[in-house]
Amino acid sequence: LYWSTDGGFTFTPRPDPVIVNTDGRTATTPAEIENAEWFRDPKIHWDAARGEWVCVIGRARYAAFYTSSNLIDWQLKRNFDYPNHALGGIECPDLFEMTANDGTRHWVLGASMDAYSIGLPMTYAYWMGTWNGEEFIAYDLTPQWLDWGWDWYAAVTWPAVDAPETKRLAIAWMNNWKYAARDVPTDASDGYNGQNSIVRELRLERQSGGWYSLLSSPVSTLSDYVTATTTLGDRTVNGSLVLPWNGRAYELELDISWDTATNVGVSVGRSADGSRHTNIGKYGAEIYVDRAPSDLAGYSLAPYTRAAGPIDAAARSVHLRIFVDTQSVEVFVNAGHTVLSQQVHFTEGDTGISLYTDGGPADFIGITIRQLRSIG
């Protein structure tokens, strides 16, 4: 525990830990030793109903909870043991209470987890539930996911100052432990190896089936960095069409609707000859981002190239907000019900945009491009 009396400019540490990991003293089996070594990333939240702090700590096979009235003396409570250990160990656990759009209050337990082995994301999983002072009780032991891309890990969230009960802000590391240690194209020149995501606003909404989900929107203050807005109107495409616009950092917003088409989407980061691009589209029951055509020899992300999130297979329209930067693509689908975040190896000439369909025509409606200035 560290504390500050000058507004956070300096901190003073207590000499001893306030929560001690005692498991290593009794661990004998490989599983016990692994769990003893995995004791990480405490996150605290104020429980107003009981007037105490709640701390969650990530473990290899469960989340451990502690409570305290003074941040110094902590009592171990009941663990949250998710039954499917193939989800991986818990990194950067997150715990908060939030008011949904229908006025009800709910607790959220989130964590960055590696569910690659069972075909699920390696991003931010979360459970909706209640906290009763002794344990977190999930409504459903199957988690939901806040991002379906390859690169939204180690996320942290915090309450928004303007609406702390109904809105939280979130940011994550746009990288993945499957390849984070590799060299990337700009390592030699400037030491770059990864970045943070844009900040997103989280809201809690009741879904038509009766469950509650976190929805994501790009933080509204991104509009402060828009330098120019280009409206290209509507296009009907049957095959492919290159748009008359080029850029490196921008937001592309549009609606797509279709009838018989089987695959519809947008290519960003398109090279002049069309050989390089990243595809964002809807196919069957998936909304996908495929960065394979943007790969670079020697720095390939294969086989971690195509990411896909769920969408109604019968849907014949989709709303997309696509944020493109020099090394990333972040896609917000249908008011943030699904998000996919990917780092991408764009080169200097990968600045174009095109539209595509397979199996029939589609209407691309309200195509709007907002060019973004550098923040650095």
Side-chain angles (χ1 to χ4, degrees), residues 139-168:
Y139 302 148
D140 188 334
L141 290 175
T142 300
Q144 300 181 65
W145 295 88
L146 202 54
D147 200 290
W148 291 81
W150 286 108
D151 299 303
W152 208 77
Y153 201 77
V156 293
T157 74
W158 63 99
V161 171
D162 60 330
E165 302 301 322
T166 59
K167 183 171 68 175
R168 292 182 74 85

mmCIF file of all heavy atoms in Angstrom, residues 139-168:
data_model
loop_
_atom_site.group_PDB
_atom_site.id
_atom_site.type_symbol
_atom_site.label_atom_id
_atom_site.label_comp_id
_atom_site.label_asym_id
_atom_site.label_seq_id
_atom_site.Cartn_x
_atom_site.Cartn_y
_atom_site.Cartn_z
ATOM 1 N N TYR A 139 -24.709 -14.178 -12.755
ATOM 2 C CA TYR A 139 -25.993 -14.584 -13.313
ATOM 3 C C TYR A 139 -25.820 -15.784 -14.232
ATOM 4 O O TYR A 139 -26.688 -16.646 -14.325
ATOM 5 C CB TYR A 139 -26.618 -13.446 -14.123
ATOM 6 C CG TYR A 139 -26.862 -12.164 -13.364
ATOM 7 C CD1 TYR A 139 -26.773 -10.941 -14.008
ATOM 8 C CD2 TYR A 139 -27.191 -12.170 -12.014
ATOM 9 C CE1 TYR A 139 -27.016 -9.744 -13.340
ATOM 10 C CE2 TYR A 139 -27.422 -10.986 -11.325
ATOM 11 C CZ TYR A 139 -27.329 -9.779 -11.998
ATOM 12 O OH TYR A 139 -27.557 -8.603 -11.334
ATOM 13 N N ASP A 140 -24.694 -15.805 -14.940
ATOM 14 C CA ASP A 140 -24.397 -16.875 -15.907
ATOM 15 C C ASP A 140 -22.903 -17.125 -15.832
ATOM 16 O O ASP A 140 -22.099 -16.179 -15.913
ATOM 17 C CB ASP A 140 -24.808 -16.433 -17.316
ATOM 18 C CG ASP A 140 -24.705 -17.557 -18.347
ATOM 19 O OD1 ASP A 140 -23.887 -18.489 -18.136
ATOM 20 O OD2 ASP A 140 -25.406 -17.498 -19.362
ATOM 21 N N LEU A 141 -22.495 -18.375 -15.685
ATOM 22 C CA LEU A 141 -21.066 -18.686 -15.552
ATOM 23 C C LEU A 141 -20.320 -18.626 -16.877
ATOM 24 O O LEU A 141 -19.093 -18.702 -16.899
ATOM 25 C CB LEU A 141 -20.894 -20.067 -14.911
ATOM 26 C CG LEU A 141 -21.280 -20.138 -13.434
ATOM 27 C CD1 LEU A 141 -21.183 -21.566 -12.933
ATOM 28 C CD2 LEU A 141 -20.396 -19.210 -12.602
ATOM 29 N N THR A 142 -21.042 -18.489 -17.985
ATOM 30 C CA THR A 142 -20.399 -18.276 -19.279
ATOM 31 C C THR A 142 -20.171 -16.785 -19.454
ATOM 32 O O THR A 142 -21.128 -16.006 -19.423
ATOM 33 C CB THR A 142 -21.272 -18.803 -20.427
ATOM 34 O OG1 THR A 142 -21.489 -20.203 -20.237
ATOM 35 C CG2 THR A 142 -20.602 -18.566 -21.768
ATOM 36 N N PRO A 143 -18.920 -16.345 -19.632
ATOM 37 C CA PRO A 143 -18.676 -14.899 -19.704
ATOM 38 C C PRO A 143 -19.096 -14.302 -21.037
ATOM 39 O O PRO A 143 -19.246 -14.993 -22.041
ATOM 40 C CB PRO A 143 -17.160 -14.806 -19.522
ATOM 41 C CG PRO A 143 -16.636 -16.080 -20.112
ATOM 42 C CD PRO A 143 -17.676 -17.125 -19.757
ATOM 43 N N GLN A 144 -19.275 -12.993 -21.033
ATOM 44 C CA GLN A 144 -19.397 -12.213 -22.251
ATOM 45 C C GLN A 144 -18.027 -11.607 -22.554
ATOM 46 O O GLN A 144 -17.126 -11.628 -21.719
ATOM 47 C CB GLN A 144 -20.454 -11.120 -22.089
ATOM 48 C CG GLN A 144 -21.847 -11.665 -21.760
ATOM 49 C CD GLN A 144 -22.871 -10.559 -21.623
ATOM 50 O OE1 GLN A 144 -23.194 -9.859 -22.579
ATOM 51 N NE2 GLN A 144 -23.392 -10.392 -20.425
ATOM 52 N N TRP A 145 -17.897 -11.046 -23.769
ATOM 53 C CA TRP A 145 -16.610 -10.493 -24.188
ATOM 54 C C TRP A 145 -16.798 -9.057 -24.658
ATOM 55 O O TRP A 145 -17.721 -8.748 -25.412
ATOM 56 C CB TRP A 145 -16.007 -11.341 -25.316
ATOM 57 C CG TRP A 145 -15.671 -12.720 -24.851
ATOM 58 C CD1 TRP A 145 -16.496 -13.801 -24.845
ATOM 59 C CD2 TRP A 145 -14.441 -13.159 -24.274
ATOM 60 N NE1 TRP A 145 -15.859 -14.888 -24.303
ATOM 61 C CE2 TRP A 145 -14.598 -14.531 -23.948
ATOM 62 C CE3 TRP A 145 -13.232 -12.530 -24.013
ATOM 63 C CZ2 TRP A 145 -13.571 -15.277 -23.373
ATOM 64 C CZ3 TRP A 145 -12.211 -13.272 -23.434
ATOM 65 C CH2 TRP A 145 -12.380 -14.623 -23.123
ATOM 66 N N LEU A 146 -15.884 -8.198 -24.212
ATOM 67 C CA LEU A 146 -15.975 -6.786 -24.560
ATOM 68 C C LEU A 146 -15.297 -6.475 -25.885
ATOM 69 O O LEU A 146 -15.523 -5.413 -26.456
ATOM 70 C CB LEU A 146 -15.357 -5.939 -23.443
ATOM 71 C CG LEU A 146 -15.789 -4.494 -23.341
ATOM 72 C CD1 LEU A 146 -17.302 -4.362 -23.263
ATOM 73 C CD2 LEU A 146 -15.146 -3.828 -22.135
ATOM 74 N N ASP A 147 -14.484 -7.389 -26.390
ATOM 75 C CA ASP A 147 -13.825 -7.183 -27.676
ATOM 76 C C ASP A 147 -13.535 -8.541 -28.296
ATOM 77 O O ASP A 147 -13.133 -9.475 -27.613
ATOM 78 C CB ASP A 147 -12.511 -6.392 -27.497
ATOM 79 C CG ASP A 147 -12.043 -5.752 -28.777
ATOM 80 O OD1 ASP A 147 -11.612 -6.501 -29.691
ATOM 81 O OD2 ASP A 147 -12.094 -4.522 -28.904
ATOM 82 N N TRP A 148 -13.725 -8.632 -29.634
ATOM 83 C CA TRP A 148 -13.552 -9.896 -30.347
ATOM 84 C C TRP A 148 -12.349 -9.876 -31.280
ATOM 85 O O TRP A 148 -12.175 -10.796 -32.073
ATOM 86 C CB TRP A 148 -14.827 -10.225 -31.125
ATOM 87 C CG TRP A 148 -15.966 -10.580 -30.224
ATOM 88 C CD1 TRP A 148 -16.782 -9.715 -29.558
ATOM 89 C CD2 TRP A 148 -16.392 -11.889 -29.856
ATOM 90 N NE1 TRP A 148 -17.695 -10.406 -28.788
ATOM 91 C CE2 TRP A 148 -17.481 -11.748 -28.964
ATOM 92 C CE3 TRP A 148 -15.963 -13.173 -30.192
ATOM 93 C CZ2 TRP A 148 -18.146 -12.838 -28.411
ATOM 94 C CZ3 TRP A 148 -16.634 -14.259 -29.637
ATOM 95 C CH2 TRP A 148 -17.704 -14.084 -28.759
ATOM 96 N N GLY A 149 -11.519 -8.838 -31.193
ATOM 97 C CA GLY A 149 -10.307 -8.795 -32.002
ATOM 98 C C GLY A 149 -9.178 -9.545 -31.328
ATOM 99 O O GLY A 149 -9.351 -10.205 -30.297
ATOM 100 N N TRP A 150 -7.995 -9.431 -31.902
ATOM 101 C CA TRP A 150 -6.819 -10.067 -31.321
ATOM 102 C C TRP A 150 -6.120 -9.161 -30.301
ATOM 103 O O TRP A 150 -5.326 -9.642 -29.497
ATOM 104 C CB TRP A 150 -5.814 -10.438 -32.424
ATOM 105 C CG TRP A 150 -6.210 -11.614 -33.240
ATOM 106 C CD1 TRP A 150 -6.648 -11.626 -34.537
ATOM 107 C CD2 TRP A 150 -6.212 -12.989 -32.836
ATOM 108 N NE1 TRP A 150 -6.925 -12.898 -34.954
ATOM 109 C CE2 TRP A 150 -6.663 -13.765 -33.926
ATOM 110 C CE3 TRP A 150 -5.888 -13.639 -31.642
ATOM 111 C CZ2 TRP A 150 -6.787 -15.150 -33.864
ATOM 112 C CZ3 TRP A 150 -6.005 -15.016 -31.584
ATOM 113 C CH2 TRP A 150 -6.453 -15.756 -32.693
ATOM 114 N N ASP A 151 -6.429 -7.865 -30.318
ATOM 115 C CA ASP A 151 -5.558 -6.922 -29.613
ATOM 116 C C ASP A 151 -6.318 -5.945 -28.728
ATOM 117 O O ASP A 151 -6.381 -4.740 -28.994
ATOM 118 C CB ASP A 151 -4.715 -6.144 -30.636
ATOM 119 C CG ASP A 151 -3.827 -7.060 -31.451
ATOM 120 O OD1 ASP A 151 -3.031 -7.793 -30.854
ATOM 121 O OD2 ASP A 151 -3.940 -7.054 -32.691
ATOM 122 N N TRP A 152 -6.902 -6.443 -27.657
ATOM 123 C CA TRP A 152 -7.506 -5.561 -26.638
ATOM 124 C C TRP A 152 -7.361 -6.272 -25.305
ATOM 125 O O TRP A 152 -8.283 -6.879 -24.787
ATOM 126 C CB TRP A 152 -8.974 -5.273 -26.972
ATOM 127 C CG TRP A 152 -9.428 -3.945 -26.434
ATOM 128 C CD1 TRP A 152 -9.159 -2.699 -26.950
ATOM 129 C CD2 TRP A 152 -10.224 -3.716 -25.262
ATOM 130 N NE1 TRP A 152 -9.733 -1.725 -26.183
ATOM 131 C CE2 TRP A 152 -10.408 -2.310 -25.139
ATOM 132 C CE3 TRP A 152 -10.816 -4.540 -24.316
ATOM 133 C CZ2 TRP A 152 -11.133 -1.734 -24.112
ATOM 134 C CZ3 TRP A 152 -11.543 -3.964 -23.281
ATOM 135 C CH2 TRP A 152 -11.689 -2.572 -23.184
ATOM 136 N N TYR A 153 -6.151 -6.180 -24.728
ATOM 137 C CA TYR A 153 -5.792 -6.969 -23.552
ATOM 138 C C TYR A 153 -5.368 -6.031 -22.418
ATOM 139 O O TYR A 153 -5.070 -4.863 -22.632
ATOM 140 C CB TYR A 153 -4.646 -7.930 -23.904
ATOM 141 C CG TYR A 153 -4.532 -9.106 -22.974
ATOM 142 C CD1 TYR A 153 -5.399 -10.185 -23.073
ATOM 143 C CD2 TYR A 153 -3.553 -9.141 -21.986
ATOM 144 C CE1 TYR A 153 -5.295 -11.270 -22.215
ATOM 145 C CE2 TYR A 153 -3.436 -10.229 -21.126
ATOM 146 C CZ TYR A 153 -4.314 -11.293 -21.245
ATOM 147 O OH TYR A 153 -4.219 -12.357 -20.388
ATOM 148 N N ALA A 154 -5.313 -6.609 -21.209
ATOM 149 C CA ALA A 154 -4.875 -5.869 -20.016
ATOM 150 C C ALA A 154 -5.666 -4.579 -19.849
ATOM 151 O O ALA A 154 -5.129 -3.546 -19.461
ATOM 152 C CB ALA A 154 -3.376 -5.579 -20.082
ATOM 153 N N ALA A 155 -6.962 -4.640 -20.111
ATOM 154 C CA ALA A 155 -7.803 -3.445 -20.062
ATOM 155 C C ALA A 155 -8.021 -2.969 -18.634
ATOM 156 O O ALA A 155 -8.065 -3.765 -17.693
ATOM 157 C CB ALA A 155 -9.146 -3.725 -20.726
ATOM 158 N N VAL A 156 -8.171 -1.666 -18.497
ATOM 159 C CA VAL A 156 -8.564 -1.069 -17.231
ATOM 160 C C VAL A 156 -9.763 -0.160 -17.484
ATOM 161 O O VAL A 156 -9.894 0.428 -18.555
ATOM 162 C CB VAL A 156 -7.428 -0.264 -16.565
ATOM 163 C CG1 VAL A 156 -6.308 -1.187 -16.139
ATOM 164 C CG2 VAL A 156 -6.893 0.808 -17.506
ATOM 165 N N THR A 157 -10.656 -0.080 -16.503
ATOM 166 C CA THR A 157 -11.817 0.796 -16.602
ATOM 167 C C THR A 157 -11.890 1.669 -15.360
ATOM 168 O O THR A 157 -11.367 1.315 -14.302
ATOM 169 C CB THR A 157 -13.130 0.006 -16.750
ATOM 170 O OG1 THR A 157 -13.482 -0.579 -15.494
ATOM 171 C CG2 THR A 157 -13.010 -1.075 -17.813
ATOM 172 N N TRP A 158 -12.566 2.809 -15.493
ATOM 173 C CA TRP A 158 -12.744 3.715 -14.367
ATOM 174 C C TRP A 158 -14.017 4.532 -14.591
ATOM 175 O O TRP A 158 -14.454 4.713 -15.724
ATOM 176 C CB TRP A 158 -11.531 4.620 -14.191
ATOM 177 C CG TRP A 158 -11.254 5.551 -15.337
ATOM 178 C CD1 TRP A 158 -11.598 6.876 -15.430
ATOM 179 C CD2 TRP A 158 -10.569 5.248 -16.563
ATOM 180 N NE1 TRP A 158 -11.181 7.409 -16.628
ATOM 181 C CE2 TRP A 158 -10.535 6.425 -17.347
ATOM 182 C CE3 TRP A 158 -9.984 4.080 -17.088
ATOM 183 C CZ2 TRP A 158 -9.960 6.475 -18.612
ATOM 184 C CZ3 TRP A 158 -9.400 4.134 -18.345
ATOM 185 C CH2 TRP A 158 -9.382 5.319 -19.082
ATOM 186 N N PRO A 159 -14.656 5.023 -13.533
ATOM 187 C CA PRO A 159 -15.920 5.749 -13.689
ATOM 188 C C PRO A 159 -15.707 7.094 -14.358
ATOM 189 O O PRO A 159 -14.731 7.802 -14.083
ATOM 190 C CB PRO A 159 -16.429 5.902 -12.254
ATOM 191 C CG PRO A 159 -15.216 5.777 -11.403
ATOM 192 C CD PRO A 159 -14.287 4.848 -12.115
ATOM 193 N N ALA A 160 -16.624 7.452 -15.241
ATOM 194 C CA ALA A 160 -16.577 8.749 -15.906
ATOM 195 C C ALA A 160 -16.962 9.840 -14.915
ATOM 196 O O ALA A 160 -17.916 9.686 -14.139
ATOM 197 C CB ALA A 160 -17.516 8.763 -17.102
ATOM 198 N N VAL A 161 -16.245 10.945 -14.938
ATOM 199 C CA VAL A 161 -16.502 12.035 -13.993
ATOM 200 C C VAL A 161 -17.908 12.599 -14.175
ATOM 201 O O VAL A 161 -18.589 12.924 -13.202
ATOM 202 C CB VAL A 161 -15.441 13.143 -14.166
ATOM 203 C CG1 VAL A 161 -15.806 14.376 -13.350
ATOM 204 C CG2 VAL A 161 -14.073 12.631 -13.768
ATOM 205 N N ASP A 162 -18.377 12.688 -15.436
ATOM 206 C CA ASP A 162 -19.658 13.333 -15.684
ATOM 207 C C ASP A 162 -20.852 12.437 -15.364
ATOM 208 O O ASP A 162 -21.966 12.936 -15.178
ATOM 209 C CB ASP A 162 -19.738 13.826 -17.137
ATOM 210 C CG ASP A 162 -19.586 12.692 -18.134
ATOM 211 O OD1 ASP A 162 -18.893 11.702 -17.818
ATOM 212 O OD2 ASP A 162 -20.150 12.793 -19.242
ATOM 213 N N ALA A 163 -20.657 11.118 -15.293
ATOM 214 C CA ALA A 163 -21.766 10.202 -14.997
ATOM 215 C C ALA A 163 -21.201 8.920 -14.382
ATOM 216 O O ALA A 163 -21.252 7.854 -14.991
ATOM 217 C CB ALA A 163 -22.563 9.886 -16.262
ATOM 218 N N PRO A 164 -20.664 8.996 -13.169
ATOM 219 C CA PRO A 164 -19.935 7.856 -12.600
ATOM 220 C C PRO A 164 -20.772 6.606 -12.362
ATOM 221 O O PRO A 164 -20.223 5.505 -12.302
ATOM 222 C CB PRO A 164 -19.384 8.411 -11.280
ATOM 223 C CG PRO A 164 -20.271 9.570 -10.953
ATOM 224 C CD PRO A 164 -20.670 10.151 -12.264
ATOM 225 N N GLU A 165 -22.080 6.720 -12.240
ATOM 226 C CA GLU A 165 -22.923 5.556 -11.979
ATOM 227 C C GLU A 165 -23.345 4.838 -13.253
ATOM 228 O O GLU A 165 -23.653 3.645 -13.218
ATOM 229 C CB GLU A 165 -24.175 5.976 -11.197
ATOM 230 C CG GLU A 165 -23.884 6.652 -9.865
ATOM 231 C CD GLU A 165 -23.077 5.777 -8.930
ATOM 232 O OE1 GLU A 165 -23.327 4.563 -8.907
ATOM 233 O OE2 GLU A 165 -22.185 6.299 -8.240
ATOM 234 N N THR A 166 -23.382 5.554 -14.372
ATOM 235 C CA THR A 166 -23.937 4.978 -15.607
ATOM 236 C C THR A 166 -22.930 4.875 -16.739
ATOM 237 O O THR A 166 -23.242 4.278 -17.771
ATOM 238 C CB THR A 166 -25.125 5.816 -16.097
ATOM 239 O OG1 THR A 166 -24.685 7.171 -16.329
ATOM 240 C CG2 THR A 166 -26.250 5.815 -15.083
ATOM 241 N N LYS A 167 -21.731 5.424 -16.569
ATOM 242 C CA LYS A 167 -20.751 5.396 -17.658
ATOM 243 C C LYS A 167 -19.359 5.175 -17.098
ATOM 244 O O LYS A 167 -18.972 5.766 -16.100
ATOM 245 C CB LYS A 167 -20.791 6.714 -18.449
ATOM 246 C CG LYS A 167 -19.851 6.739 -19.639
ATOM 247 C CD LYS A 167 -20.087 7.972 -20.520
ATOM 248 C CE LYS A 167 -19.691 9.247 -19.849
ATOM 249 N NZ LYS A 167 -19.805 10.434 -20.741
ATOM 250 N N ARG A 168 -18.611 4.271 -17.747
ATOM 251 C CA ARG A 168 -17.211 4.059 -17.405
ATOM 252 C C ARG A 168 -16.374 4.255 -18.654
ATOM 253 O O ARG A 168 -16.857 4.110 -19.780
ATOM 254 C CB ARG A 168 -16.979 2.645 -16.838
ATOM 255 C CG ARG A 168 -17.612 2.441 -15.481
ATOM 256 C CD ARG A 168 -17.328 1.068 -14.923
ATOM 257 N NE ARG A 168 -15.954 0.898 -14.449
ATOM 258 C CZ ARG A 168 -15.539 1.241 -13.244
ATOM 259 N NH1 ARG A 168 -16.358 1.824 -12.382
ATOM 260 N NH2 ARG A 168 -14.292 1.028 -12.871
#
